[in-house]
Amino acid sequence: MYRLITCAFALISFFSFSQQNCTLSGYITNASDGETIIDAKVFIPSISKGVLTNTYGFYSLTVPCGTYQVEFRIGGMETETREIVLDGDVQFDFEAGSNVQEVDEVVVNGEASDNTKSTKIGQIELDIEEIKKLPAFLGEVDVVKTIQLLPGVSSASEGGQGFYVRGGGPDQNLVLLDEAVVYNAAHLFGFFSVFNSDAVKSVNLIKGGMPANFGGRMSSVLEVNMNEGNYKRLSVKGGLGVISSRVTVEGPLKKDKGSFMVSGRRTYIDVIMKAAISDTSPFAGSSYYFYDLNLKMNYKLGKKDRIYLSGYYGKDEFVFNDPSGDFNATMPWGNGIAALRWNHLFSNKLFMNVTGTFTDYLFSFGSEQDEFRFKLKSGIRDLGGKVDFTYFPNPRHKIKFGTHYTFHTFTPTSVSASQEDVVFDTGLAQQLKSHETAAYILDEFDLNEQWRFNVGLRYSTFSHVGPFTRYVKGDISTPDSTIEYQKGDLIKFYQGLEPRLSMRYMLPDNSSIKAGYSYNYQYVHLTSLSAVSLPTDIWFPTTNIAKPQIGWQGSIGYFKNLKENRYETSVEVYYKDMRNLIEYKEGALPSDNVNDNTDNLLTFGRGWSYGAEFFVKKALGKLTGWVGYTWSKTERVFEDLNNGEPFAAKYDRRHDLSIVASYELNDRWTFSSSFIYATGNTLTLPTSWYIQGQDLLFNYGQRNSTRMSPYHRLDISAIWYSKAYKEQEDPTTGETIKVKKRFKSNWAFSVYNVYNRANPYFLYVDNDGDFLQGDFEISVKQVTLFPIIPSVTWNFEF
């Protein structure tokens, strides 16, 4: 097999060039800690050829043999040049920053010119160090809240963690942590993300032009990679905040051969509540906290083989205890994730990555009152594997291909109830099993200096298999019945081709026009009754009733850099069409799942979204940041909802504006701010009311025909850094020299909602007075969550 693959690609390489060529390849790492560097650029100015490192820091560049001055360009560092003689294939591993210091002007997203030269459309990479400088809610640096500041991305609500990309729902975002799927990326009912910033290495968001190596979701990919750990020495960093603390320990397993990273975080809201709430309060005895743990280890088995082991576990625990002892409730939920990866180099042009993943998400609710006990569970467990190849035949081509497999086990609802020794019959727990597979190939190539294409094709399949009980709902003349499927029985099979295309055309003024098209199948669904994303939302697979979601998106944009790449600008327009969307039927409740199937409670429809996005980013200098504006419209139509008429999606927002700025005053002080303005969310409110007997009843208007007030907020922050260097005498020369301190710290001060805007979280209908007395009134009231909130966090590193 090895020889077959090598020979096949050797033939491709032979026909790619008519002259003798040599390949320069290797890994680029950071000299300070040995971590590999993603998207570092290896460039040969004399022939204007270059390549970027992949997720694992590997690069491969095939050029005519000769002697070259090779530049290594890494964001935030000075460009370094090495003379390399290519009289054959050469493996050259490069340590960046080994003899230079970091420069003051840090590039936010690596190479600024990549904005115009790549085929990436609707794709943004964020520097985790820049994220840490922005204002943080209650001192918690948050990856997801940062991407909500980008054009085309909106939040669910005030403080909400769910995010919506170009009109898609929260289930249409593929969230990956070290290539393992994250189903619930939120803590504290959505107010914090599961991503501990101290453990995060890189963040990449794809909201349009999705390449063929990603699939299973229709709207976006959020790719988060964890730090590998320090290969050079043991180090510790962490922080103490208002509601939480965190600590990260990393170091070498064997110097320059392997490393580890362990990071933990926990809130102490439960401790604060216990101290602040009196014994007579109705909330006495109640508590809430969350914690999470990140782990990563990696080891270089040799020049051609590396292994990585990644793990994450996080849990939220909410407890309510009635002081009288009559009622108590617990609500835990959490994620468990593991990924084992093996990198292998078949040759200096062929890179392989094999990945095995495990994902487990579980939500539970339990209550007890007067000896009556009730418990509800839902969750999803995935076992997956994939093999991905990257082939670099020459600088004009980069080919990727591979296969993916996932075995899903869904538990939409599991209910149990008992009273004293009596156990109630709530039916068997629903458990749905399925197989999802995919194979893909893509080629990113330059047709000439002006045209670059990324062309790909993905083939995906989905098999819903037994054991499974199908509840068939009858009518007046037909009773309800069931169909039993045994283990391994094929219930329903789906398949589809997913073409992908993105392209770039360079204009004479060094600006570019880009376009993208993607066609996607999505085989998992998220059912929700609430207006915001909550852990109570139910994940559900495609079945013989619930068909796979199918969507396509087309986009086109103009990209230009100004003033020697100090400013990056872009304008993009898009249209997205979505089929087989799901909603609960009118009047349906998740509790109706007892002795029933979830998909019997669902209705199916179509959606579409279109809009324009404007983005200006200052990537260099003491003042950095961006301005993003989105105009968009998102609608849905369901035959069984709203009389079959189109209606605005609950997260439809006509206008969305974000202004983000960070200013480095000197090496001790950095100031940042962010401002958000967004059209209010939609909801459905009554248009009239009437009395029937003793009951107050309402007539409701068109679905989502009411809008909340606009949302806007200003946050500010200031970070004070301790001195990075100390002066000491050189024992050899006697001169006073500066030496970098081992222990570093900073104080981060932030103010959330500076001008105390009362932003709406939700609206509800209330009534006052007595109808018979003639003073009865109906009013709509607003619930607001967060006023102005100052916070302070002390961060340290040694």
Side-chain angles (χ1 to χ4, degrees):
M1 181 66 179
Y2 172 87
R3 291 181 178 179
L4 179 63
I5 293 174
T6 304
C7 289
F9 284 104
L11 285 173
I12 296 174
S13 299
F14 175 79
F15 289 109
S16 297
F17 282 92
S18 58
Q19 64 184 108
Q20 185 178 2
N21 294 286
C22 299
T23 299
L24 175 66
S25 64
Y27 291 87
I28 297 182
T29 57
N30 193 319
S32 63
D33 54 19
E35 285 235 14
T36 56
I37 299 176
I38 302 172
D39 281 343
K41 189 168 188 178
V42 181
F43 186 71
I44 302 178
S46 60
I47 57 175
S48 296
K49 301 297 180 184
V51 69
L52 297 175
T53 57
N54 66 8
T55 304
Y56 300 94
F58 176 77
Y59 72 93
S60 177
L61 180 61
T62 300
V63 296
C65 298
T67 301
Y68 296 101
Q69 297 294 317
V70 182
E71 293 183 354
F72 295 88
R73 302 176 178 178
I74 295 95
M77 296 183 180
E78 292 180 352
T79 297
E80 297 186 63
T81 304
R82 297 290 186 273
E83 183 176 277
I84 300 177
V85 178
L86 293 179
D87 52 6
D89 292 342
V90 173
Q91 181 168 342
F92 185 78
D93 297 333
F94 179 71
E95 281 197 337
S98 55
N99 55 9
V100 297
Q101 294 182 356
E102 293 185 357
V103 297
D104 291 333
E105 295 185 347
V106 178
V107 180
V108 177
N109 284 337
E111 282 291 304
S113 59
D114 198 47
N115 177 56
T116 58
K117 293 183 178 180
S118 75
T119 59
K120 296 175 182 177
I121 181 169
Q123 183 168 342
I124 300 176
E125 298 165 5
L126 294 172
D127 188 321
I128 189 64
E129 294 304 319
E130 295 301 314
I131 293 176
K132 290 179 179 180
K133 295 177 183 178
L134 300 180
F137 176 62
L138 291 175
E140 277 296 314
V141 175
D142 198 313
V143 168
V144 175
K145 280 187 169 52
T146 302
I147 70 168
Q148 290 172 355
L149 298 172
L150 299 172
V153 185
S154 59
S155 62
S157 61
E158 167 79 273
Q161 193 59 51
F163 62 99
Y164 303 88
V165 179
R166 291 183 171 178
D171 61 320
Q172 296 175 0
N173 304 314
L174 178 63
V175 182
L176 300 173
L177 180 62
D178 274 2
E179 301 192 40
V181 176
V182 179
Y183 281 97
N184 188 322
H187 284 305
L188 188 57
F189 302 98
F191 297 117
F192 298 107
S193 78
V194 299
F195 304 116
N196 181 350
S197 61
D198 283 349
V200 172
K201 177 180 181 178
S202 66
V203 181
N204 182 36
L205 175 69
I206 304 172
K207 55 183 179 174
M210 188 185 298
N213 55 311
F214 294 108
R217 301 294 188 275
M218 290 200 303
S219 285
S220 75
V221 178
L222 177 60
E223 192 178 15
V224 180
N225 292 300
M226 287 196 291
N227 288 322
E228 297 169 7
N230 198 316
Y231 285 82
K232 305 292 185 180
R233 62 177 181 85
L234 185 68
S235 66
V236 179
K237 60 183 175 182
L240 300 174
V242 176
I243 65 166
S244 67
S245 295
R246 64 190 190 280
V247 64
T248 300
V249 180
E250 55 184 322
L253 295 171
K254 183 178 181 181
K255 190 173 181 180
D256 294 327
K257 289 280 288 183
S259 64
F260 74 92
M261 184 274 297
V262 179
S263 184
R265 177 176 59 163
R266 192 194 191 279
T267 62
Y268 25 79
I269 304 173
D270 52 333
V271 178
I272 297 173
M273 289 177 64
K274 187 175 182 180
I277 297 175
S278 66
D279 295 337
T280 58
S281 169
F283 295 100
S286 301
S287 68
Y288 169 82
Y289 66 90
F290 75 76
Y291 64 88
D292 48 33
L293 179 69
N294 296 77
L295 168 68
K296 190 167 184 178
M297 294 187 292
N298 59 93
Y299 198 82
K300 301 174 185 177
L301 301 176
K303 287 188 175 182
K304 292 188 175 183
D305 296 277
R306 301 183 180 204
I307 56 172
Y308 301 81
L309 176 63
S310 305
Y312 168 84
Y313 183 75
K315 187 177 182 180
D316 292 63
E317 184 84 38
F318 174 74
V319 177
F320 175 79
N321 287 313
D322 187 348
S324 65
D326 293 335
F327 177 78
N328 65 73
T330 60
M331 189 162 63
W333 71 93
N335 293 283
I337 294 169
L340 178 62
R341 293 174 288 176
W342 167 44
N343 294 168
H344 177 71
L345 289 176
F346 284 98
S347 69
N348 48 26
K349 294 183 179 181
L350 183 59
F351 178 91
M352 181 190 71
N353 180 60
V354 179
T355 304
T357 61
F358 169 81
T359 297
D360 185 56
Y361 169 67
L362 180 64
F363 165 80
S364 177
F365 173 81
S367 66
E368 183 174 349
Q369 185 175 21
D370 298 330
E371 302 297 327
F372 177 77
R373 293 174 293 277
F374 173 84
K375 194 166 188 178
L376 180 147
K377 290 183 179 180
S378 71
I380 178 172
R381 176 173 291 182
D382 286 353
L383 286 172
K386 60 179 184 174
V387 182
D388 299 288
F389 292 89
T390 306
Y391 179 58
F392 307 86
N394 56 64
R396 288 189 177 274
H397 283 268
K398 182 171 73 173
I399 300 170
K400 290 184 178 182
F401 61 97
T403 60
H404 298 173
Y405 168 78
T406 304
F407 177 64
H408 300 285
T409 302
F410 293 84
T411 308
T413 306
S414 173
V415 178
S416 62
S418 64
Q419 187 162 9
E420 295 182 343
D421 296 330
V422 179
V423 178
F424 297 99
D425 180 14
T426 57
L428 297 175
Q430 289 189 48
Q431 204 167 69
L432 296 88
K433 299 180 183 295
S434 54
H435 304 275
E436 183 175 353
T437 66
Y440 72 90
I441 185 170
L442 68 86
D443 184 11
E444 184 171 36
F445 62 93
D446 290 334
L447 191 63
N448 51 43
E449 295 302 319
Q450 285 74 41
W451 289 98
R452 176 178 292 179
F453 293 87
N454 187 317
V455 181
L457 182 65
R458 185 181 182 91
Y459 171 68
S460 62
T461 72
F462 187 86
S463 304
H464 178 205
V465 298
F468 178 65
T469 301
R470 164 59 66 193
Y471 293 90
V472 181
K473 310 306 291 183
D475 51 28
I476 297 176
S477 59
T478 307
D480 293 351
S481 61
T482 61
I483 301 174
E484 296 291 339
Y485 295 93
Q486 302 304 312
K487 182 179 180 180
D489 288 351
L490 179 62
I491 302 168
K492 188 66 177 179
F493 175 76
Y494 296 95
Q495 61 181 332
L497 289 173
E498 306 175 32
R500 312 287 175 81
L501 170 67
S502 58
M503 52 171 285
R504 177 227 69 198
Y505 178 74
M506 292 297 298
L507 297 171
D509 62 351
N510 219 28
S511 62
S512 64
I513 295 174
K514 301 182 185 181
Y517 173 84
S518 60
Y519 191 91
N520 300 69
Y521 280 78
Q522 178 171 325
Y523 299 103
V524 298
H525 311 268
L526 185 66
T527 59
S528 175
L529 286 174
S530 66
V532 295
S533 296
L534 293 173
T536 52
D537 296 346
I538 295 174
W539 286 95
F540 192 78
T542 290
T543 65
N544 57 337
I545 292 179
K547 296 180 180 180
Q549 299 180 57
I550 302 174
W552 66 268
Q553 180 183 172
S555 57
I556 187 169
Y558 175 74
F559 297 75
K560 185 175 179 61
N561 289 4
L562 303 170
K563 294 190 175 181
E564 298 180 341
N565 294 328
R566 287 182 176 272
Y567 294 89
E568 299 177 6
T569 66
S570 63
V571 179
E572 294 182 50
V573 295
Y574 67 88
Y575 182 88
K576 179 187 292 185
D577 185 84
M578 298 162 281
R579 306 295 176 103
N580 301 330
L581 303 180
I582 66 170
E583 293 279 358
Y584 274 112
K585 294 177 180 177
E586 295 285 6
L589 294 172
S591 58
D592 297 336
N593 285 333
V594 176
N595 285 322
D596 203 350
N597 303 123
T598 299
D599 50 7
N600 285 330
L601 310 176
L602 303 176
T603 182
F604 308 95
R606 176 183 168 230
W608 55 89
S609 176
Y610 52 90
E613 299 170 0
F614 303 84
F615 191 51
V616 178
K617 180 177 71 175
K618 189 173 186 295
L620 298 169
K622 287 184 172 293
L623 177 64
T624 58
W626 67 81
V627 177
Y629 170 75
T630 305
W631 182 97
S632 63
K633 190 171 185 178
T634 304
E635 292 185 308
R636 302 283 188 264
V637 61
F638 287 75
E639 184 178 349
D640 298 330
L641 300 178
N642 202 48
N643 298 317
E645 296 293 326
F647 58 90
K650 61 186 178 184
Y651 33 82
D652 172 57
R653 288 183 175 176
R654 199 69 66 247
H655 306 284
D656 209 323
L657 172 70
S658 298
I659 303 173
V660 178
S662 180
Y663 180 71
E664 185 180 339
L665 181 65
N666 50 45
D667 59 356
R668 304 293 299 279
W669 282 99
T670 297
F671 299 92
S672 301
S673 66
S674 63
F675 174 77
I676 304 169
Y677 175 90
T679 303
N681 284 352
T682 64
L683 74 162
T684 307
L685 288 178
T687 56
S688 62
W689 58 272
Y690 60 95
I691 301 294
Q692 183 174 316
Q694 299 296 318
D695 298 324
L696 174 65
L697 302 177
F698 296 99
N699 291 317
Y700 285 85
Q702 294 288 304
R703 190 179 183 93
N704 293 342
S705 58
T706 302
R707 281 198 182 273
M708 298 183 189
S709 300
Y711 181 98
H712 51 88
R713 190 188 78 240
L714 173 67
D715 305 332
I716 60 173
S717 69
I719 304 177
W720 178 85
Y721 298 91
S722 63
K723 289 184 178 180
Y725 296 90
K726 62 181 179 180
E727 293 184 349
Q728 67 180 40
E729 185 178 295
D730 189 324
T732 305
T733 63
E735 296 179 354
T736 300
I737 58 173
K738 285 186 175 182
V739 179
K740 184 176 287 189
K741 286 184 177 181
R742 180 71 183 269
F743 183 86
K744 296 183 290 185
S745 66
N746 68 70
W747 287 91
F749 308 91
S750 65
V751 181
Y752 180 89
N753 197 4
V754 172
Y755 52 86
N756 201 30
R757 161 73 174 175
N759 284 303
Y761 185 62
F762 65 84
L763 306 180
Y764 69 96
V765 177
D766 195 13
N767 63 84
D768 294 302
D770 189 289
F771 181 75
L772 297 177
Q773 297 295 326
D775 59 353
F776 184 78
E777 292 183 352
I778 296 287
S779 61
V780 177
K781 295 185 177 180
Q782 173 180 301
V783 173
T784 298
L785 287 185
F786 301 117
I788 180 173
I789 302 177
S791 63
V792 59
T793 303
W794 179 62
N795 301 297
F796 60 88
E797 181 178 354
F798 59 89

Tab-separated table of all heavy atoms in Angstrom, residues 39 82 118 127 130 175 189 265 292 327 405 448 521 547 633 673 694 721 729 734 794:
chain	number	residue	atom	x	y	z
A	39	ASP	N	0.069	28.321	9.705
A	39	ASP	CA	-0.007	29.380	8.692
A	39	ASP	C	1.234	30.268	8.656
A	39	ASP	O	1.150	31.440	8.286
A	39	ASP	CB	-1.263	30.238	8.886
A	39	ASP	CG	-2.511	29.561	8.346
A	39	ASP	OD1	-2.364	28.611	7.558
A	39	ASP	OD2	-3.621	29.969	8.715
A	82	ARG	N	17.169	32.469	5.386
A	82	ARG	CA	18.228	31.460	5.407
A	82	ARG	C	18.603	31.107	3.967
A	82	ARG	O	17.731	30.988	3.104
A	82	ARG	CB	17.760	30.185	6.129
A	82	ARG	CG	17.410	30.383	7.589
A	82	ARG	CD	18.640	30.645	8.431
A	82	ARG	NE	18.299	30.681	9.849
A	82	ARG	CZ	17.889	31.772	10.499
A	82	ARG	NH1	17.767	32.916	9.838
A	82	ARG	NH2	17.595	31.733	11.778
A	118	SER	N	-5.351	34.696	-1.194
A	118	SER	CA	-5.853	33.333	-1.028
A	118	SER	C	-7.241	33.197	-1.639
A	118	SER	O	-7.890	34.181	-2.006
A	118	SER	CB	-5.903	32.968	0.455
A	118	SER	OG	-7.008	33.613	1.074
A	127	ASP	N	-6.206	35.635	16.280
A	127	ASP	CA	-5.047	35.419	17.142
A	127	ASP	C	-5.523	35.401	18.592
A	127	ASP	O	-6.141	36.351	19.068
A	127	ASP	CB	-4.034	36.539	16.920
A	127	ASP	CG	-2.720	36.275	17.636
A	127	ASP	OD1	-2.744	35.769	18.764
A	127	ASP	OD2	-1.664	36.595	17.059
A	130	GLU	N	-4.586	38.359	20.715
A	130	GLU	CA	-5.397	39.549	20.477
A	130	GLU	C	-6.752	39.425	21.150
A	130	GLU	O	-7.303	40.403	21.655
A	130	GLU	CB	-5.567	39.770	18.965
A	130	GLU	CG	-4.277	40.092	18.233
A	130	GLU	CD	-3.627	41.352	18.775
A	130	GLU	OE1	-4.332	42.359	18.963
A	130	GLU	OE2	-2.409	41.322	19.030
A	175	VAL	N	-18.578	22.769	15.264
A	175	VAL	CA	-17.604	23.245	16.245
A	175	VAL	C	-16.638	22.111	16.552
A	175	VAL	O	-17.047	21.028	16.988
A	175	VAL	CB	-18.306	23.727	17.532
A	175	VAL	CG1	-17.283	24.256	18.528
A	175	VAL	CG2	-19.339	24.801	17.210
A	189	PHE	N	-25.600	28.311	31.190
A	189	PHE	CA	-26.782	28.548	30.363
A	189	PHE	C	-26.462	29.415	29.144
A	189	PHE	O	-27.305	30.148	28.651
A	189	PHE	CB	-27.912	29.179	31.189
A	189	PHE	CG	-28.325	28.351	32.362
A	189	PHE	CD1	-27.845	28.630	33.627
A	189	PHE	CD2	-29.175	27.276	32.194
A	189	PHE	CE1	-28.217	27.846	34.721
A	189	PHE	CE2	-29.559	26.489	33.280
A	189	PHE	CZ	-29.088	26.778	34.551
A	265	ARG	N	-10.132	24.940	35.003
A	265	ARG	CA	-10.859	26.173	35.319
A	265	ARG	C	-12.087	25.813	36.141
A	265	ARG	O	-12.755	24.820	35.873
A	265	ARG	CB	-11.258	26.869	34.016
A	265	ARG	CG	-12.096	28.129	34.193
A	265	ARG	CD	-12.379	28.811	32.860
A	265	ARG	NE	-13.087	27.949	31.913
A	265	ARG	CZ	-13.728	28.411	30.840
A	265	ARG	NH1	-13.741	29.704	30.571
A	265	ARG	NH2	-14.345	27.571	30.015
A	292	ASP	N	-13.998	22.879	33.999
A	292	ASP	CA	-13.545	22.131	32.835
A	292	ASP	C	-12.055	21.844	32.939
A	292	ASP	O	-11.318	22.521	33.673
A	292	ASP	CB	-13.894	22.829	31.508
A	292	ASP	CG	-13.541	24.295	31.467
A	292	ASP	OD1	-12.544	24.687	32.092
A	292	ASP	OD2	-14.265	25.050	30.815
A	327	PHE	N	-39.264	20.619	48.043
A	327	PHE	CA	-38.923	20.454	46.633
A	327	PHE	C	-37.432	20.701	46.425
A	327	PHE	O	-36.863	21.627	47.011
A	327	PHE	CB	-39.726	21.429	45.777
A	327	PHE	CG	-39.381	21.389	44.322
A	327	PHE	CD1	-39.858	20.375	43.509
A	327	PHE	CD2	-38.560	22.355	43.751
A	327	PHE	CE1	-39.536	20.320	42.164
A	327	PHE	CE2	-38.221	22.317	42.406
A	327	PHE	CZ	-38.725	21.290	41.612
A	405	TYR	N	-15.613	8.765	9.132
A	405	TYR	CA	-16.675	7.872	9.606
A	405	TYR	C	-17.058	8.250	11.030
A	405	TYR	O	-16.185	8.533	11.862
A	405	TYR	CB	-16.233	6.403	9.579
A	405	TYR	CG	-17.184	5.495	10.335
A	405	TYR	CD1	-18.389	5.092	9.753
A	405	TYR	CD2	-16.895	5.067	11.621
A	405	TYR	CE1	-19.276	4.285	10.447
A	405	TYR	CE2	-17.768	4.254	12.327
A	405	TYR	CZ	-18.967	3.858	11.740
A	405	TYR	OH	-19.850	3.071	12.430
A	448	ASN	N	-3.031	30.638	-13.350
A	448	ASN	CA	-1.948	31.558	-13.735
A	448	ASN	C	-1.786	32.536	-12.568
A	448	ASN	O	-2.285	32.278	-11.464
A	448	ASN	CB	-2.262	32.265	-15.061
A	448	ASN	CG	-3.647	32.911	-15.055
A	448	ASN	OD1	-4.062	33.536	-14.076
A	448	ASN	ND2	-4.383	32.743	-16.161
A	521	TYR	N	-24.941	18.608	2.937
A	521	TYR	CA	-25.927	17.766	3.607
A	521	TYR	C	-25.650	17.810	5.104
A	521	TYR	O	-24.493	17.740	5.531
A	521	TYR	CB	-25.833	16.314	3.137
A	521	TYR	CG	-26.515	16.036	1.816
A	521	TYR	CD1	-25.909	16.394	0.615
A	521	TYR	CD2	-27.762	15.415	1.774
A	521	TYR	CE1	-26.521	16.134	-0.605
A	521	TYR	CE2	-28.389	15.150	0.565
A	521	TYR	CZ	-27.764	15.505	-0.618
A	521	TYR	OH	-28.379	15.249	-1.819
A	547	LYS	N	-35.921	14.134	7.381
A	547	LYS	CA	-34.952	14.026	6.294
A	547	LYS	C	-33.727	14.890	6.580
A	547	LYS	O	-33.778	15.816	7.393
A	547	LYS	CB	-35.600	14.450	4.974
A	547	LYS	CG	-36.753	13.551	4.540
A	547	LYS	CD	-37.350	14.032	3.226
A	547	LYS	CE	-38.494	13.130	2.792
A	547	LYS	NZ	-39.108	13.578	1.512
A	633	LYS	N	-31.242	39.472	5.794
A	633	LYS	CA	-32.641	39.098	5.962
A	633	LYS	C	-32.734	37.578	5.969
A	633	LYS	O	-32.167	36.909	5.093
A	633	LYS	CB	-33.502	39.677	4.844
A	633	LYS	CG	-35.009	39.521	5.088
A	633	LYS	CD	-35.822	40.296	4.061
A	633	LYS	CE	-37.311	40.235	4.402
A	633	LYS	NZ	-38.127	41.031	3.450
A	673	SER	N	-11.633	48.426	23.528
A	673	SER	CA	-13.066	48.685	23.641
A	673	SER	C	-13.798	47.954	22.521
A	673	SER	O	-13.207	47.621	21.481
A	673	SER	CB	-13.363	50.185	23.560
A	673	SER	OG	-13.042	50.684	22.278
A	694	GLN	N	-63.506	31.622	33.714
A	694	GLN	CA	-62.572	32.273	34.630
A	694	GLN	C	-61.177	32.413	34.038
A	694	GLN	O	-60.251	32.839	34.723
A	694	GLN	CB	-62.482	31.457	35.934
A	694	GLN	CG	-63.790	31.332	36.684
A	694	GLN	CD	-64.277	32.683	37.175
A	694	GLN	OE1	-63.507	33.496	37.664
A	694	GLN	NE2	-65.584	32.912	37.043
A	721	TYR	N	0.609	45.584	32.491
A	721	TYR	CA	1.578	44.490	32.483
A	721	TYR	C	2.746	44.815	33.406
A	721	TYR	O	3.221	45.962	33.466
A	721	TYR	CB	2.123	44.274	31.060
A	721	TYR	CG	1.082	43.885	30.052
A	721	TYR	CD1	0.414	44.851	29.309
A	721	TYR	CD2	0.762	42.544	29.824
A	721	TYR	CE1	-0.549	44.501	28.367
A	721	TYR	CE2	-0.187	42.179	28.889
A	721	TYR	CZ	-0.843	43.164	28.159
A	721	TYR	OH	-1.786	42.816	27.232
A	729	GLU	N	23.964	42.797	36.117
A	729	GLU	CA	25.329	42.982	35.628
A	729	GLU	C	25.820	41.732	34.924
A	729	GLU	O	25.673	40.618	35.424
A	729	GLU	CB	26.243	43.312	36.801
A	729	GLU	CG	27.677	43.644	36.377
A	729	GLU	CD	28.543	44.008	37.569
A	729	GLU	OE1	28.259	45.052	38.201
A	729	GLU	OE2	29.485	43.237	37.863
A	734	GLY	N	30.881	43.101	32.891
A	734	GLY	CA	30.596	44.074	33.935
A	734	GLY	C	29.566	45.103	33.514
A	734	GLY	O	29.232	46.007	34.293
A	794	TRP	N	-6.481	39.008	37.734
A	794	TRP	CA	-5.025	38.987	37.825
A	794	TRP	C	-4.521	37.746	37.105
A	794	TRP	O	-4.910	36.620	37.432
A	794	TRP	CB	-4.569	38.959	39.280
A	794	TRP	CG	-3.071	38.900	39.429
A	794	TRP	CD1	-2.163	39.819	39.004
A	794	TRP	CD2	-2.303	37.842	40.042
A	794	TRP	NE1	-0.883	39.421	39.307
A	794	TRP	CE2	-0.933	38.214	39.939
A	794	TRP	CE3	-2.638	36.650	40.655
A	794	TRP	CZ2	0.083	37.411	40.453
A	794	TRP	CZ3	-1.616	35.839	41.152
A	794	TRP	CH2	-0.275	36.233	41.051
